[in-house]
Amino acid sequence: IWRIAAIFFICGASTTGLIDSRLAMLCMGNGLGLTSSADVLAILAICGGIGSAVSGALADRYPARILLILYFAVRALALLWLPLSSFSVGELSAFGALFGLDAALTFPALAKLLSRSLDQYTMVAMMSWMMIAHIFGAAITSAWVGFVGMAGYPVSFTVVGLMCLIAAGLAGASQD
C-alpha cells in the first residue's frame, strides 16, 4: 500500500504539481505568446483525453506493473528532455502531446494494481487515501516550483523526472 501511495504521490507531483500548474508559465517565460502557450495546453488536454480513452483497455489487457513501468519511464524521459529543448512551439507541442497521452494512462493501471490486494469495500476507502497522496505530491511540487521561480524550472523538471524513474522502479517491485 505504501509503495502505491508513493507512486500516487509522484504521479501528482509530475502532473498536477508541475505540468498542469506550471507549463503555461514555462511557455510564456520562454518567449511564447499567450495564444501559443494556450495551444500547447490544448494539445496536452486533447492528448490527455485520448490517453484516457485507451487507458482502461490497456489496463484490462496487460499487466498493470508493466504498464506503469513503461508510463513512468516515458514520463521521466519527457520531463528530463524538456529543459534541454529549445522551448519552440513545435517542441513544446510535441512535449504536450506525449505528456498528455502518458499522464492520462496511469490511473487505471494504478487502480488495478491497488485492487489486487484489497477487497471491493476497502478499495473504495483506499482510493480516497491514494488521491490524498496525489494531491499532497501536487501541492508540495507546485509550492517548490513557485518558490524557486522560473530560473529553477530546469532543476525542478529534472528532479521530478528522476522521481518518475523512482515510480517506475516502485511499480516494478509491486505485485501484479
Side-chain angles (χ1 to χ4, degrees), residues 22-34 36-37 86-88 92 149-151 153-154:
R22 302 295 176 174
L23 186 59
M25 295 296 295
L26 176 71
C27 290
M28 293 175 71
N30 282 289
L32 270 66
L34 184 60
S36 295
S37 297
S86 67
F87 297 105
S88 67
L92 285 166
M150 186 67 80
Y153 275 23

Side-chain angles (χ1 to χ4, degrees), residues 90-112:
E91 287 182 333
L92 285 166
S93 296
F95 171 82
L98 178 63
F99 197 88
L101 285 169
D102 183 76
L105 292 171
T106 58
F107 188 79
L110 281 167
K112 183 178 177 184

Side-chain angles (χ1 to χ4, degrees), residues 42-118:
I43 290 168
L44 182 99
I46 290 167
C47 290
I50 293 167
S52 292
V54 300
S55 62
L58 290 172
D60 285 341
R61 289 176 174 77
Y62 301 101
R65 182 177 54 81
I66 300 302
L67 291 173
L68 289 169
I69 292 168
L70 177 64
Y71 299 158
F72 280 105
V74 169
R75 188 179 299 185
L77 291 175
L79 290 170
L80 292 169
W81 167 79
L82 188 60
L84 303 175
S85 74
S86 67
F87 297 105
S88 67
V89 174
E91 287 182 333
L92 285 166
S93 296
F95 171 82
L98 178 63
F99 197 88
L101 285 169
D102 183 76
L105 292 171
T106 58
F107 188 79
L110 281 167
K112 183 178 177 184
L113 193 62
L114 186 61
S115 71
R116 296 285 185 206
S117 59
L118 302 171

